[in-house]
Amino acid sequence: MYVVVNAAVSADGKLSSRRRDQLAISGDEDFARVDRLRADSDAVVVGVGTVLADDPHLTVKDEQLRDRRRENGRSANPARVVVDSNGRTPMDAAILDDAATTYVCLSENAPVERRADLADRAQLLTAGDDRVDLLGAFATLQEQGLEQIMVEGGGELIFSLFEAGLVDELRTFVGPKIVGGRDAPTLADGEGFVAEFPMLELEEFDRLDGGVLLTWCVEGR
């Protein structure tokens, strides 16, 4: 399995404002790049916080890219995965429509009634007691044939994936905007590292949309 984290952040490293509403950071060039990355992926992963805040669809927007996937014997869109320990994904979430297969990763303690509701709209994976065990969940996704994984946020999930040692590559678009705010989410939130920090090696950088795209490989992966 190869895991790519993709994110757009402000010049001061924020994913969104302190209100946690959707924030336009990049532009058309970067949107097209993200669409190509989705089209190349077997699955797109987000945390439930992103679902609640943004209600993303996580499908391939370009019809030619969808056609290319079909020509290669794949579904039009990659699978969609929600990491949702307590089953908080709304039943009317866009990610639960029939545009692609959706997996919801739950913990053992997710409420039974939420399991029953979600099982009508998605395939359920259970790993971990109180929180989703990401190593176990990603191993199960790999057993389903999902090898190329794209992660689109949010900051809590991204930190947890780095903590679990699951990230192979980080692609960050840094936009020309200052957001500020001690409570605004950053690229990697969670508890934070105090030792044994994951180290990155810069592979390439490109200017686009008035900002810069940084591509990093995780050392030791």
Side-chain angles (χ1 to χ4, degrees), residues 54 83 98 148 200 209:
D54 299 338
V83 177
D98 60 1
Q148 181 74 21
L200 308 176
D209 286 334

Side-chain angles (χ1 to χ4, degrees), residues 27-44:
D28 291 343
E29 287 182 287
D30 193 54
F31 293 155
R33 177 193 66 83
V34 171
D35 207 34
R36 292 192 297 271
L37 182 55
R38 281 184 188 165
D40 289 339
S41 301
D42 297 321
V44 181

Side-chain angles (χ1 to χ4, degrees), residues 7 11 23 26 42 46 48 58 77-78 80 83 86 117 128 138 146 165 197 214:
L23 183 66
S26 60
D42 297 321
V46 293
V48 67
L58 301 184
N77 294 294
R80 301 167 296 188
V83 177
N86 298 310
D117 290 341
F138 273 53
L146 305 178
F197 304 98
L214 305 174

Side-chain angles (χ1 to χ4, degrees), residues 65-132:
L65 293 175
R66 294 196 301 271
D67 287 343
R68 188 181 307 165
R69 285 179 60 91
R70 294 188 187 100
E71 291 168 2
N72 292 329
R74 309 168 80 186
S75 58
N77 294 294
R80 301 167 296 188
V81 181
V82 186
V83 177
D84 183 6
S85 296
N86 298 310
R88 295 188 294 148
T89 300
M91 293 307 299
D92 61 351
I95 204 170
L96 294 180
D97 70 6
D98 60 1
T101 300
T102 300
Y103 297 87
V104 178
C105 302
L106 304 167
S107 71
E108 295 284 357
N109 288 337
V112 173
E113 63 273 15
R114 294 297 296 146
R115 288 177 176 276
D117 290 341
L118 289 167
D120 290 335
R121 307 288 299 278
Q123 297 190 35
L124 306 186
L125 304 179
T126 302
D129 296 328
D130 297 318
R131 297 181 60 189
V132 171

